[in-house]
Amino acid sequence: NAGVTQTPKFRVLKTGQSMTLLCAQDMNHEYMYWYRQDPGMGLRLIHYSVGEGTTAKGEVPDGYNVSRLKKQNFLLGLESAAPSQTSVYFCASIGPGGSYNEQFFGPGTRLTVL
Amino acid sequence: KQEVTQIPAALSVPEGENLVLNCSFTDSAIYNLQWFRQDPGKGLTSLLLIQSSQREQTSGRLNASLDKSSGRSTLYIAASQPGDSATYLCAVSGHKIIFGKGTRLHILP
């Protein structure tokens, strides 16, 4: 099993450009999460999904959109990138039972917005 | 509102010593607590998961304890090695999953 994978690993954008980050998991997990990690701020939840076709806002959702069309994939979109969105983005998943169970993380995407 | 604190933010320890990392939380109504390791430029690797009904979990040289009533968890690392150098994060799961900011551990050869 590959676990949780993220595409791309690195990306540089100019202000105003758009992009989509892809998260895929092969563990048949229901719950998927997008976090951003910034120095001194720790991990902050952007959006999450409790199942295929569902999404919900986390702590810092502004400027991001998400979609969960397939159970194994969770997409994070930036419609108009801003320098404040320069960060490392992590995807995570949890199996049945959600918060009662172990969370698995992807390797991260390092995004720089110029 | 749940708050998770990890003190100290950084720690340097000579190789071979036993050490304890701390995690405290303000709301005892939790489902579980998970300890992660993060190497520079990498993702988070799960080390141990302690359910709210458990007092401790062990994996190799690692032992994690949980005291819900006092809002504290500790991660004990025995016979530390340079390869243990990393940032260690705890995450508390309740209505939400809240992460501490981590303790950056450096094992001195």
Side-chain angles (χ1 to χ4, degrees), chain A residues 64-101:
Chain A
Y64 305 95
N65 57 75
V66 288
S67 65
R68 183 96 182 269
L69 299 179
K70 293 182 178 181
K71 186 177 182 180
Q72 63 267 35
N73 296 337
F74 194 28
L75 279 63
L76 178 70
L78 287 73
E79 291 187 346
S80 179
S84 61
Q85 294 178 304
T86 293
S87 186
V88 181
Y89 292 86
F90 289 102
C91 176
S93 71
I94 302 180
S99 296
Y100 289 94
N101 290 321

